[in-house]
Amino acid sequence: MIARVTVDAAVDRLFDYLVPEHLRLRLVPGTRVRVPFGPRTVTGYVVEVVDRADPTDRTEQTDLLGVPIAPARTLKPLLSIVGEHPFLTESLLKLLQWLADYYCASLEGAIRSALPAPVRATGARQKEQLFVEVCDPADRTDRTDQMDRTDRKALTPRQTELLAQIRQVKGGWAATLCREFKCTPELLRKLATAGVIKLEARQMRRDPMANRVILPTQPLALMPEQATALEQVKALCDSPDPKPLLLLGVTNSGKTEVYLQGIAHVLAQGRSAIVLVPEIALTPQTVQRFAGRFGPQVAVLHSALSDGERYDEWHRIRTGAARVVVGPRSAVFAPVTRLGLIVVDEEHEPSYKQEESPRYNARDVAVMRGRLEHCAVILGSATPAMESWQNALRGKYCLARMLRRVDDRPRPSVRIVDMRIEMAKAGHVQVFSSVLLDAIRDRLSQGEQVIIFLNRRGYATSLQCPHCGYVATCEACAVAFTYHQADTCLRCHTCGAFQQVPPVCPGCSDPAFKYAGFGTQRVETILQKCFPQAHVARMDADVTARRHSHDEILGAFRTGRTDILIGTQMIAKGLHFPSVTLVGVLAADMSLHMPDFRAGERTFQLLAQVSGRAGRGDIPGEVIIQTYTPDHPAVAAARTADFEAFAATELVDRRSGGYPPFTRMVCLTLSGASEEKVAFVAGKLATRLQELAVRKPLRTEVAGGPAAPRAGEFVVTDAMPSPRAKAKGVFRYQILLRAVAMPAMLVPLRQAVSEAKLPADVALAADVDAVNIM
Ligand code: ADP
Ligand code: ZN
């Protein structure tokens, strides 16, 4: 018997090992093993167990006459099995093989992302601690009364007192008792020697939810839309081969309650569930909603947990002690067995996409896992991704709608302020409109809270005329040009066209044609100056780098110690602050003119989510959106928060432009310290891919718009600097590939990539179904 093993040495192939007789019964795919690897011993995972070795295996040797030595004699035996159970179930292994293949990644890398680091670490073990048990006097009937009396006599008054205290609490962890009763471990040991208590090493679960009071909750009586959605969920859970369900539910429509009751349904069948939430939404409140309903059956996987906690939670899942897993994208690999339901909340979130190899999208992996394990998958969102929405329209996914808020509160009123007019009034570019400033003043005077949202990202921006709103756009692609400061040039990141910055605005001939950039920090300064009495706080990536600052800032805001919270998209999601009555959105255009075909979608999602933060309490909420392009569909649709209306116009554009979801896109990024080298390698790779492609894209000078691939074809752009062309001294070039279906592209892509002889100092990353093409 031969085991085909993937080793933890970043070599993307399998190696064959003989399976020693005594290990045969225990060896199944997914088992972790120790194997000889060159001069070393390394850890690996069994992928396959076969009868014969792979004849193409390079480890096979020939004898002096060139005759292959029977593999059975040359193969080295594997050394040992690590752990009592396989670390990966067979179906997880299948999922990871699919993932590695689809996302052009290595199997080792896929396994690495599926197993938390503390679980992979060979040294990690269940933590053992000393536990104190009180010896029951009745247990000592074998002893004579005489001896018992001797024992007692041997105790000092302090020891007798301690024994009484320990008896009162019926024992416990030694460390805890020492702290509570102010005694030393030596004192406990003396009691143990006296035979009145027992000390033993026990496994202690490191509980990430320890020290939190979690109130149990009961299933709520459902609203009609919730009930209908739950019926659909239950039917899918009971189906032998269910389709995924897209749950389109506005904020506060009670999606979570539907998830909870769906999970209860599969738990009652003895099955388990996984709930994926965006990393940023994995707050104690989120976890409490699940823990409140399902108690200790809930396990949390979170990168902020300590190694010990993660190790313990993972093992609680694998052994079946925990059957509801809540976590961010990597929780999609949780080693649960008998999976009944996977929930992907806020399924449109870009954070489900891992931005390093393997560049998987946890939402899509969840759908694939559901297919492999025949379990139901719910994708929930108020603003689904166009990919998911299109799948629902095509009937590939089922669809449930929840369009009413549970509390039946009115949606906040949304006002759109045209900043072109504001700017004409003031004579120069404005950060705040007078409408917004007045509204803030008004709310503060009522003792209410305000959120100011500005999604300012620090890199390449678009060029926009503050006078007429004109945005420099590539006509062929209808995508905003990116302004590259290095060579003061406008570049289209879809087709590669470029041009110099025009001296005056092509729309209105205003020479002030420039982008007036400002970020959250400047906004903070301005607000502090305008409202010196108010407590202003800022939350963005700069301030939340510290481990607990996130909770601190939100805590201060929740308890009313902060009046105005300024933030980036970090504050847009899932937060519930009943006393926020005003949300101001600055520069709604900012995300609109990203050089990304998803710019409109992202803007709509952001505006819808940010608006959802207002008016969650008893006072009706108000949203003020400042923009230079009030007529853009994404901005206009935000007024009514009508997702389906927005999606209808957006999908028309995507179809005619040949963008996802009507095509699949791969983004190749080459990077290195030498721009010349990166550009050269990227250029060669693009040329090679274009040879392999059936059709090149149309160039900008050719009339007729952007190239949309037809069925069976794929199109390849020229190599061009990435929107973030240079970061930390590394130059980046990208090549975008599009095809109607992935298979048309994957084979030539792999061919070109494997042929390409990359110099050691140029790296290549392939991002399949790229979410971030910046
Ligand atoms: P969503 O996830 O769609 O934003 P939630 O599930 O968070 O909505 O529900 C919003 C609020 O409404 C929560 O406080 C929740 O407890 C409450 N809620 C949900 N369903 C019901 C119901 N059927 N009856 C009463 N309250 C409900
Ligand atoms: Zn273009």
Side-chain angles (χ1 to χ4, degrees):
M1 192 160 103
I2 283 153
R4 318 213 60 217
V5 175
T6 172
V7 294
D8 237 358
V11 192
D12 195 16
R13 54 177 295 244
L14 300 179
F15 295 89
D16 288 357
Y17 291 93
L18 276 182
V19 182
E21 196 68 45
H22 67 284
L23 296 179
R24 290 194 177 177
L25 280 180
R26 283 177 56 203
L27 202 79
V28 292
T31 305
R32 187 162 163 189
V33 289
R34 296 286 289 169
V35 292
F37 191 74
R40 295 177 296 151
T41 300
V42 298
T43 303
Y45 297 88
V46 176
V47 174
E48 250 183 301
V49 182
V50 292
D51 289 334
R52 295 178 33 97
D54 179 352
T56 61
D57 191 326
R58 274 191 279 124
T59 52
E60 187 174 304
Q61 289 170 4
T62 55
D63 66 13
L64 289 173
L65 295 169
V67 177
I69 300 169
R73 270 193 285 141
T74 59
L75 290 180
K76 292 182 184 164
L78 61 81
L79 302 175
S80 58
I81 290 180
V82 183
E84 276 171 56
H85 308 279
F87 275 67
L88 297 161
T89 61
E90 217 168 330
S91 66
L92 258 181
L93 198 59
K94 243 190 233 154
L95 182 73
L96 293 172
Q97 280 178 297
W98 166 81
L99 185 150
D101 195 48
Y102 183 81
Y103 290 104
C104 294
S106 71
L107 183 58
E108 288 84 33
I111 291 176
R112 220 169 302 135
S113 24
L115 296 175
V119 172
R120 281 193 328 262
T122 10
R125 224 173 300 120
Q126 204 94 9
K127 197 172 168 187
E128 292 206 326
Q129 295 258 325
L130 275 187
F131 191 85
V132 176
E133 226 179 315
V134 185
C135 294
D136 189 346
D139 280 349
R140 305 197 289 161
T141 44
D142 55 328
R143 301 184 171 203
T144 62
D145 286 356
Q146 174 69 40
M147 273 182 79
D148 193 35
R149 236 171 286 138
T150 329
D151 283 346
R152 278 175 201 282
K153 254 188 220 136
L155 296 182
T156 64
R158 171 71 183 116
Q159 287 169 347
T160 313
E161 182 200 2
L162 181 62
L163 178 62
Q165 286 169 325
I166 293 175
R167 281 220 166 107
Q168 204 170 13
V169 298
K170 300 191 173 64
W173 296 106
T176 316
L177 296 179
C178 287
R179 204 170 50 231
E180 297 259 300
F181 302 134
K182 311 239 178 319
C183 69
T184 58
E186 287 69 50
L187 201 53
L188 287 178
R189 241 175 259 287
K190 282 198 184 119
L191 289 182
T193 320
V196 289
I197 64 167
K198 254 194 291 190
L199 281 178
E200 57 180 24
R202 276 197 197 170
Q203 288 192 345
M204 181 161 112
R205 180 187 159 208
R206 285 153 290 192
D207 184 354
M209 282 178 283
N211 310 324
R212 291 224 168 93
V213 185
I214 293 170
L215 298 175
T217 64
Q218 295 301 317
L220 301 169
L222 296 182
M223 307 305 231
E225 285 182 329
Q226 284 178 307
T228 313
L230 181 65
E231 281 317 306
Q232 263 178 287
V233 170
K234 283 184 179 170
L236 289 170
C237 290
D238 298 343
S239 151
D241 209 3
K243 281 187 197 176
L245 171 77
L246 180 65
L247 178 56
L248 172 67
V250 299
T251 308
N252 251 4
S253 60
K255 294 187 288 296
T256 309
E257 186 61 33
V258 173
Y259 305 153
L260 288 167
Q261 298 196 21
I263 293 168
H265 180 75
V266 297
L267 287 182
Q269 298 170 335
R271 300 200 283 167
S272 355
I274 296 175
V275 182
L276 301 185
V277 296
E279 180 92 42
I280 194 156
L282 192 56
T283 57
Q285 296 103 285
T286 308
V287 173
Q288 273 177 28
R289 290 187 72 175
F290 291 89
R293 195 66 60 88
F294 304 116
Q297 293 189 85
V298 175
V300 185
L301 291 176
H302 193 315
S303 56
L305 299 183
S306 70
D307 280 2
E309 286 169 340
R310 272 205 285 175
Y311 181 94
D312 290 357
E313 289 295 83
W314 192 87
H315 283 276
R316 276 191 340 115
I317 297 164
R318 200 193 54 180
T319 56
R323 292 198 293 144
V324 180
V325 181
V326 182
R329 62 170 180 261
S330 60
V332 74
F333 304 115
V336 298
T337 46
R338 304 209 57 214
L339 190 55
L341 177 63
I342 308 177
V343 173
V344 185
D345 192 29
E346 307 283 353
E347 64 88 32
H348 62 277
E349 270 292 304
S351 71
Y352 283 126
K353 177 84 173 177
Q354 176 152 296
E355 293 295 350
E356 60 194 57
S357 182
R359 295 178 157 74
Y360 67 91
N361 187 322
R363 173 197 62 214
D364 300 332
V365 175
V367 168
M368 184 47 91
R369 185 165 183 185
R371 195 185 300 169
L372 288 174
E373 303 194 19
H374 306 288
C375 88
V377 179
I378 309 179
L379 309 179
S381 176
T383 52
M386 287 302 129
E387 286 81 355
S388 305
W389 183 241
Q390 177 64 8
N391 278 332
L393 294 180
R394 279 170 58 204
K396 221 180 132 189
Y397 296 171
C398 302
L399 176 64
R401 287 183 178 86
M402 293 183 4
L403 305 178
R404 289 183 76 95
R405 288 168 68 136
V406 169
D407 49 19
D408 242 339
R409 288 209 174 95
R411 280 186 358 87
S413 69
V414 178
R415 248 202 290 174
I416 292 176
V417 177
D418 187 342
M419 291 305 282
R420 292 171 301 184
I421 299 171
E422 289 291 312
M423 138 119 190
K425 272 195 282 187
H428 55 90
V429 177
Q430 298 284 294
V431 174
F432 283 95
S433 61
S434 49
V435 178
L436 181 52
L437 283 180
D438 288 346
I440 295 173
R441 189 169 301 115
D442 185 46
R443 296 298 175 167
L444 290 181
S445 70
Q446 308 287 319
E448 295 161 21
Q449 285 179 305
V450 176
I451 288 181
I452 298 295
F453 176 83
L454 173 64
N455 201 24
R456 173 63 184 167
R457 296 150 98 180
Y459 38 84
T461 50
S462 57
L463 214 55
Q464 179 168 39
C465 174
H467 185 104
C468 71
Y470 172 89
V471 173
T473 304
C474 171
E475 283 183 17
C477 303
V479 169
F481 275 126
T482 299
Y483 176 59
H484 284 250
Q485 203 158 23
D487 53 0
T488 60
C489 178
L490 295 170
R491 265 205 187 81
C492 170
H493 283 277
T494 301
C495 71
F498 64 95
Q499 61 178 60
Q500 289 301 313
V501 178
V504 295
C505 171
C508 68
S509 304
D510 190 323
F513 179 51
K514 61 170 206 280
Y515 191 81
F518 55 89
T520 45
Q521 276 183 26
R522 195 170 145 205
V523 170
E524 185 181 16
T525 317
I526 296 173
L527 281 179
Q528 202 65 80
K529 220 179 277 171
C530 294
F531 306 104
Q533 254 70 56
H535 293 274
V536 182
R538 174 165 60 91
M539 186 152 130
D540 54 29
D542 297 332
V543 275
T544 55
R546 286 181 303 122
R547 188 178 153 166
H548 291 296
S549 56
H550 187 265
D551 289 347
E552 277 166 28
I553 298 170
L554 293 182
F557 193 55
R558 180 167 293 110
T559 51
R561 277 174 285 150
T562 308
D563 305 306
I564 306 178
L565 181 64
I566 304 161
T568 55
Q569 70 222 60
M570 233 174 234
I571 60 170
K573 284 146 205 169
L575 303 176
H576 179 73
F577 299 115
S579 48
V580 171
T581 52
L582 172 66
V583 170
V585 182
L586 308 185
D589 320 71
M590 206 170 278
S591 56
L592 208 50
H593 303 308
M594 289 288 151
D596 182 338
F597 66 93
R598 288 193 182 89
E601 179 180 353
R602 295 265 175 273
T603 303
F604 178 77
Q605 288 165 353
L606 274 173
L607 294 179
Q609 269 160 353
V610 177
S611 306
R613 301 306 116 223
R616 293 175 76 96
D618 296 327
I619 308 165
E622 183 182 18
V623 179
I624 294 178
I625 298 174
Q626 298 190 166
T627 175
Y628 287 99
T629 42
D631 302 323
H632 189 285
V635 177
R639 197 193 304 261
T640 48
D642 185 346
F643 170 76
E644 293 182 53
F646 168 72
T649 53
E650 180 67 17
L651 284 177
V652 169
D653 290 351
R654 298 281 185 94
R655 188 193 289 277
S656 65
Y659 289 118
F662 300 99
T663 53
R664 292 299 182 89
M665 185 180 270
V666 177
C667 178
L668 296 179
T669 302
L670 291 119
S671 55
S674 156
E675 178 163 27
E676 231 171 308
K677 253 191 205 173
V678 172
F680 178 76
V681 175
K684 265 184 56 178
L685 183 58
T687 309
R688 179 71 188 123
L689 281 164
Q690 285 165 352
E691 282 166 16
L692 293 171
V694 182
R695 200 158 61 95
K696 286 193 187 189
L698 300 174
R699 310 306 307 273
T700 32
E701 55 271 22
V702 181
R710 292 184 293 246
E713 296 180 340
F714 72 106
V715 294
V716 184
T717 63
D718 287 339
M720 55 195 163
S722 300
R724 268 181 299 177
K726 190 183 172 194
K728 295 177 196 145
V730 174
F731 291 91
R732 295 151 36 100
Y733 271 64
Q734 69 175 203
I735 304 167
L736 295 178
L737 286 75
R738 279 182 287 163
V740 171
M742 204 52 102
M745 198 156 37
L746 279 187
V747 174
L749 174 62
R750 286 209 195 92
Q751 187 187 334
V753 167
S754 69
E755 284 171 6
K757 291 190 185 60
L758 294 179
D761 49 357
V762 175
L764 169 64
D767 191 354
V768 175
D769 291 338
V771 163
N772 178 4
I773 55 170
M774 305 290 279

